[in-house]
PDB file of all heavy atoms in Angstrom:
ATOM      1  N   ALA A  80     192.251 161.407 149.951  1.00 91.00           N
ATOM      2  CA  ALA A  80     192.801 160.289 149.181  1.00 91.00           C
ATOM      3  C   ALA A  80     192.412 159.042 149.931  1.00 91.00           C
ATOM      4  O   ALA A  80     192.073 158.059 149.239  1.00 91.00           O
ATOM      5  CB  ALA A  80     194.313 160.446 149.072  1.00 91.00           C
ATOM      6  N   ASP A  81     192.430 159.078 151.334  1.00 91.00           N
ATOM      7  CA  ASP A  81     192.144 157.799 152.012  1.00 91.00           C
ATOM      8  C   ASP A  81     190.637 157.481 151.798  1.00 91.00           C
ATOM      9  O   ASP A  81     190.250 156.245 151.610  1.00 91.00           O
ATOM     10  CB  ASP A  81     192.424 158.114 153.486  1.00 91.00           C
ATOM     11  CG  ASP A  81     192.309 156.778 154.247  1.00 91.00           C
ATOM     12  OD1 ASP A  81     193.142 155.889 153.878  1.00 91.00           O
ATOM     13  OD2 ASP A  81     191.578 156.759 155.231  1.00 91.00           O
ATOM     14  N   ILE A  82     189.758 158.446 151.843  1.00 93.00           N
ATOM     15  CA  ILE A  82     188.301 158.186 151.637  1.00 93.00           C
ATOM     16  C   ILE A  82     188.080 157.634 150.184  1.00 93.00           C
ATOM     17  O   ILE A  82     187.291 156.737 149.956  1.00 93.00           O
ATOM     18  CB  ILE A  82     187.466 159.418 151.900  1.00 93.00           C
ATOM     19  CG1 ILE A  82     187.493 159.748 153.413  1.00 93.00           C
ATOM     20  CG2 ILE A  82     186.101 159.292 151.407  1.00 93.00           C
ATOM     21  CD1 ILE A  82     186.832 161.181 153.683  1.00 93.00           C
ATOM     22  N   ARG A  83     188.760 158.298 149.303  1.00 93.00           N
ATOM     23  CA  ARG A  83     188.559 157.848 147.795  1.00 93.00           C
ATOM     24  C   ARG A  83     188.956 156.524 147.642  1.00 93.00           C
ATOM     25  O   ARG A  83     188.437 155.703 146.856  1.00 93.00           O
ATOM     26  CB  ARG A  83     189.414 158.899 146.989  1.00 93.00           C
ATOM     27  CG  ARG A  83     189.060 158.930 145.562  1.00 93.00           C
ATOM     28  CD  ARG A  83     189.648 160.085 144.841  1.00 93.00           C
ATOM     29  NE  ARG A  83     191.027 160.296 145.061  1.00 93.00           N
ATOM     30  CZ  ARG A  83     191.607 161.309 145.590  1.00 93.00           C
ATOM     31  NH1 ARG A  83     190.911 162.335 145.981  1.00 93.00           N
ATOM     32  NH2 ARG A  83     192.969 161.370 145.707  1.00 93.00           N
ATOM     33  N   ASN A  84     190.013 156.036 148.371  1.00 90.00           N
ATOM     34  CA  ASN A  84     190.563 154.693 148.202  1.00 90.00           C
ATOM     35  C   ASN A  84     189.750 153.713 149.001  1.00 90.00           C
ATOM     36  O   ASN A  84     189.421 152.571 148.516  1.00 90.00           O
ATOM     37  CB  ASN A  84     191.983 154.558 148.715  1.00 90.00           C
ATOM     38  CG  ASN A  84     192.605 153.233 148.591  1.00 90.00           C
ATOM     39  OD1 ASN A  84     192.629 152.703 147.429  1.00 90.00           O
ATOM     40  ND2 ASN A  84     193.161 152.630 149.565  1.00 90.00           N
ATOM     41  N   LYS A  85     189.180 154.028 150.190  1.00 90.00           N
ATOM     42  CA  LYS A  85     188.475 153.116 150.978  1.00 90.00           C
ATOM     43  C   LYS A  85     186.906 153.070 151.000  1.00 90.00           C
ATOM     44  O   LYS A  85     186.342 152.104 151.221  1.00 90.00           O
ATOM     45  CB  LYS A  85     188.973 153.282 152.442  1.00 90.00           C
ATOM     46  CG  LYS A  85     190.421 153.066 152.746  1.00 90.00           C
ATOM     47  CD  LYS A  85     190.849 153.203 154.148  1.00 90.00           C
ATOM     48  CE  LYS A  85     192.325 152.815 154.398  1.00 90.00           C
ATOM     49  NZ  LYS A  85     192.638 152.976 155.881  1.00 90.00           N
ATOM     50  N   LYS A  86     186.408 154.235 150.601  1.00 94.00           N
ATOM     51  CA  LYS A  86     184.910 154.339 150.825  1.00 94.00           C
ATOM     52  C   LYS A  86     184.215 154.653 149.433  1.00 94.00           C
ATOM     53  O   LYS A  86     183.028 154.708 149.336  1.00 94.00           O
ATOM     54  CB  LYS A  86     184.602 155.554 151.703  1.00 94.00           C
ATOM     55  CG  LYS A  86     184.966 155.243 153.184  1.00 94.00           C
ATOM     56  CD  LYS A  86     184.414 156.256 154.114  1.00 94.00           C
ATOM     57  CE  LYS A  86     184.668 155.867 155.556  1.00 94.00           C
ATOM     58  NZ  LYS A  86     183.882 156.660 156.511  1.00 94.00           N
ATOM     59  N   MET A  87     185.110 154.773 148.258  1.00 95.00           N
ATOM     60  CA  MET A  87     184.548 155.125 147.088  1.00 95.00           C
ATOM     61  C   MET A  87     185.196 154.012 146.004  1.00 95.00           C
ATOM     62  O   MET A  87     186.397 153.776 146.031  1.00 95.00           O
ATOM     63  CB  MET A  87     184.869 156.487 146.593  1.00 95.00           C
ATOM     64  CG  MET A  87     184.321 157.538 147.403  1.00 95.00           C
ATOM     65  SD  MET A  87     184.894 159.238 146.906  1.00 95.00           S
ATOM     66  CE  MET A  87     183.844 160.214 147.946  1.00 95.00           C
ATOM     67  N   GLY A  88     184.247 153.593 145.225  1.00 95.00           N
ATOM     68  CA  GLY A  88     184.777 152.736 144.096  1.00 95.00           C
ATOM     69  C   GLY A  88     184.382 153.353 142.838  1.00 95.00           C
ATOM     70  O   GLY A  88     183.354 153.889 142.630  1.00 95.00           O
ATOM     71  N   PHE A  89     185.239 153.206 141.723  1.00 95.00           N
ATOM     72  CA  PHE A  89     185.075 153.885 140.485  1.00 95.00           C
ATOM     73  C   PHE A  89     185.096 152.925 139.348  1.00 95.00           C
ATOM     74  O   PHE A  89     185.950 151.996 139.251  1.00 95.00           O
ATOM     75  CB  PHE A  89     186.173 154.961 140.272  1.00 95.00           C
ATOM     76  CG  PHE A  89     186.179 156.030 141.268  1.00 95.00           C
ATOM     77  CD1 PHE A  89     186.851 155.875 142.374  1.00 95.00           C
ATOM     78  CD2 PHE A  89     185.462 157.214 140.946  1.00 95.00           C
ATOM     79  CE1 PHE A  89     187.003 156.962 143.393  1.00 95.00           C
ATOM     80  CE2 PHE A  89     185.493 158.329 141.829  1.00 95.00           C
ATOM     81  CZ  PHE A  89     186.195 158.093 143.171  1.00 95.00           C
ATOM     82  N   ILE A  90     184.041 153.068 138.348  1.00 95.00           N
ATOM     83  CA  ILE A  90     184.067 152.259 137.271  1.00 95.00           C
ATOM     84  C   ILE A  90     183.948 153.251 136.130  1.00 95.00           C
ATOM     85  O   ILE A  90     183.028 154.060 136.072  1.00 95.00           O
ATOM     86  CB  ILE A  90     182.780 151.327 137.170  1.00 95.00           C
ATOM     87  CG1 ILE A  90     182.673 150.544 138.483  1.00 95.00           C
ATOM     88  CG2 ILE A  90     182.601 150.476 135.995  1.00 95.00           C
ATOM     89  CD1 ILE A  90     181.263 149.913 138.780  1.00 95.00           C
ATOM     90  N   PHE A  91     184.914 153.098 135.098  1.00 91.00           N
ATOM     91  CA  PHE A  91     184.985 153.983 134.048  1.00 91.00           C
ATOM     92  C   PHE A  91     184.744 153.427 132.674  1.00 91.00           C
ATOM     93  O   PHE A  91     184.817 152.069 132.584  1.00 91.00           O
ATOM     94  CB  PHE A  91     186.399 154.629 133.984  1.00 91.00           C
ATOM     95  CG  PHE A  91     186.844 155.410 135.172  1.00 91.00           C
ATOM     96  CD1 PHE A  91     187.617 154.893 136.134  1.00 91.00           C
ATOM     97  CD2 PHE A  91     186.448 156.708 135.325  1.00 91.00           C
ATOM     98  CE1 PHE A  91     187.988 155.666 137.246  1.00 91.00           C
ATOM     99  CE2 PHE A  91     186.664 157.439 136.376  1.00 91.00           C
ATOM    100  CZ  PHE A  91     187.459 156.933 137.430  1.00 91.00           C
TER     101      PHE A  91
END
Side-chain angles (χ1 to χ4, degrees):
D81 193 54
I82 291 171
R83 200 162 52 236
N84 184 52
K85 294 181 179 178
K86 295 193 174 186
M87 298 176 175
F89 297 88
I90 305 167
F91 297 102

